Amino acid sequence: MKKLRILLADDHKMVRDGLRLLIDSQRDMRVVGESGNGKQALQQARDLKPDVVVMDLSMPELNGLQATERLKAERSASKVVALTVHEDASYLLQLCKAGAVGYVLKRSAGDDLIHAIRTVAGGGLHFDPTLASKALTGQRREAPGKAGSQISDLSEREKEVLILLAWGYSNKEIAGDLELSVKTVETYRVRINEKLSLRSRTEIVQYALRQGWLNEAAPFVRPSR
């Protein structure tokens, strides 16, 4: 079995030791490196090319947000899961914009982190549901896009495609789920981008956060693969 390769970035060695024990006890993953600051984490991510980086936000030299931004600016294939004590919803939105695809609170159970790692490694997203709900409360700003652009501008099929894109599905996976051709999905994606002026996957995720589609309590939930 090919194991997921995990890099730990946290400035507290005791935390890293606990995370290593937790992760190395899983049959499908192993820790390949540890970093005590953001600058070191960035360099190790470049050198080791882990599948997932578990990134603390509060670190010296470079914080987790800065390290994530730089890592994604380099088009790294490593997925970033933020592991933090911060329960301010603004942090989730900032990390999402920076390129993180997971956000787990340190007070959460260990199983939540393991689930998050597996989810993002498989191409999905994982946000703490309580924090995602907070991010939506009082965050009813207009989504990125043209003035007046609304979800009502989309057809029902375009809404379905957008939701699946926000949850991390590839065009091929969406085509399979909706029984469409890949080319048709690509056409829907172009239409969505034109109608809402969403220029990247990150903006799609931000839009979905504001709509409530990444909140487990919302009426739209991620379909089974």
Side-chain angles (χ1 to χ4, degrees):
M1 175 191 296
K2 182 180 179 181
K3 294 189 176 184
L4 296 174
R5 303 171 72 254
I6 315 300
L7 172 64
L8 303 177
D10 194 293
D11 59 336
H12 293 96
K13 188 176 186 305
M14 186 177 296
V15 172
R16 297 199 308 271
D17 288 345
L19 292 175
R20 178 182 281 274
L21 286 173
L22 173 66
I23 292 170
D24 283 346
S25 69
Q26 308 302 310
R27 295 182 59 189
D28 59 341
M29 57 185 73
R30 66 187 176 96
V31 174
V32 296
E34 297 182 23
S35 304
N37 62 68
K39 186 176 180 179
Q40 185 183 48
L42 185 59
Q43 188 58 55
Q44 285 200 333
R46 291 166 177 159
D47 296 340
L48 298 173
K49 296 179 174 55
D51 297 300
V52 178
V53 181
V54 177
M55 185 89 74
D56 186 23
L57 290 188
S58 301
M59 293 188 294
E61 299 198 36
L62 286 177
N63 62 37
L65 176 61
Q66 293 168 324
T68 299
E69 286 176 332
R70 295 192 187 187
L71 189 62
K72 291 306 171 182
E74 297 173 4
R75 299 186 180 278
S76 170
S78 300
K79 308 295 178 62
V80 175
V81 172
L83 179 64
T84 177
V85 298
H86 296 293
E87 299 191 34
D88 187 330
S90 64
Y91 282 101
L92 186 153
L93 295 173
Q94 291 179 59
L95 262 294
C96 177
K97 184 176 181 179
V101 289
Y103 198 105
V104 179
L105 297 176
K106 285 188 174 179
R107 65 172 173 78
S108 300
D111 287 347
D112 290 340
L113 176 61
I114 295 302
H115 175 68
I117 291 173
R118 290 190 178 117
T119 297
V120 303
L125 305 171
H126 180 94
F127 299 115
D128 179 270
T130 302
L131 196 60
S133 179
K134 288 181 180 179
L136 295 169
T137 303
Q139 294 287 332
R140 300 303 181 186
R141 300 188 303 271
E142 185 176 350
K146 302 173 184 176
S149 294
Q150 301 292 334
I151 192 63
S152 59
D153 294 336
L154 303 181
S155 68
E156 287 301 315
R157 183 62 85 186
E158 287 167 348
K159 290 180 188 179
E160 290 178 312
V161 171
L162 192 153
I163 291 168
L164 290 170
L165 286 170
W167 274 113
Y169 280 61
S170 67
N171 289 350
K172 183 177 180 181
E173 289 170 326
I174 294 171
D177 285 339
L178 301 183
E179 298 182 346
L180 302 170
S181 69
V182 173
K183 186 174 181 179
T184 298
V185 173
E186 291 172 350
T187 299
Y188 280 127
R189 188 166 184 170
V190 169
R191 289 178 185 171
I192 291 166
N193 290 344
E194 289 177 347
K195 289 182 178 182
L196 301 179
S197 293
L198 302 176
R199 297 177 295 277
S200 67
R201 175 86 68 166
T202 298
E203 289 189 353
I204 288 173
V205 173
Q206 288 179 294
Y207 190 94
L209 275 169
R210 293 191 176 100
Q211 294 295 329
W213 298 334
L214 305 185
N215 175 9
E216 290 185 353
F220 292 109
V221 296
R222 184 182 185 183
S224 302
R225 288 183 186 269

